[in-house]
Amino acid sequence: MTFVTCLTLQSGDRAALDGVVDDIKRTAERKGAALKGPHTHPPDHFSVPQHQRLHADDDRQSTPWSYTVFTRELEIHGYQGFARDVAGRSFPDSVHVEVEVEQVQGV
């Protein structure tokens, strides 16, 4: 049985995100781990309305706050020790990481 570790990394800071992904790729190459990706998703653009006052009866709004979120996905096939090290490392505060582990059985 093989384990596949899927990492989803998201950030509004594209440079920080790419730096983290490049570091993971270099480490995987150095250790000989099977790494697929990074798979780049189109950036998500969000817009949040901002009210000028906190009163419920005041409808005045400022310009909306707009921001972009960039997403990269990586897959580590096997190499549980490497996957555990990557998932357990400390990432910059601007990078959000989700880890999902799947168990794949051969035919």
Side-chain angles (χ1 to χ4, degrees):
M1 285 183 251
T2 304
F3 290 93
V4 177
T5 305
C6 299
L7 300 169
T8 303
L9 298 100
Q10 295 179 322
S11 179
D13 184 358
R14 187 175 190 170
L17 179 65
D18 289 340
V20 169
V21 170
D22 289 342
D23 184 44
I24 293 171
K25 283 175 51 178
R26 281 193 304 271
T27 307
E29 289 173 2
R30 193 174 64 242
K31 293 193 175 195
L35 181 71
K36 289 189 179 180
H39 305 292
T40 304
H41 295 272
D44 294 320
H45 302 283
F46 297 98
S47 180
V48 180
Q50 297 187 74
H51 296 277
Q52 290 182 351
R53 306 249 183 199
L54 296 176
H55 300 292
D57 58 347
D58 193 352
D59 291 335
R60 291 182 289 174
Q61 293 186 356
S62 297
T63 57
W65 174 47
S66 299
Y67 63 99
T68 304
V69 176
F70 302 96
T71 305
R72 307 285 185 269
E73 285 187 2
L74 298 164
E75 293 179 5
I76 303 169
H77 293 263
Y79 300 94
Q80 290 91 351
F82 172 71
R84 192 176 311 113
D85 290 344
V86 169
R89 71 171 59 161
S90 61
F91 294 98
D93 290 337
S94 62
V95 178
H96 174 75
V97 180
E98 292 181 12
V99 180
E100 183 179 320
V101 179
E102 292 182 45
Q103 186 175 4
V104 180
Q105 295 181 355
V107 177

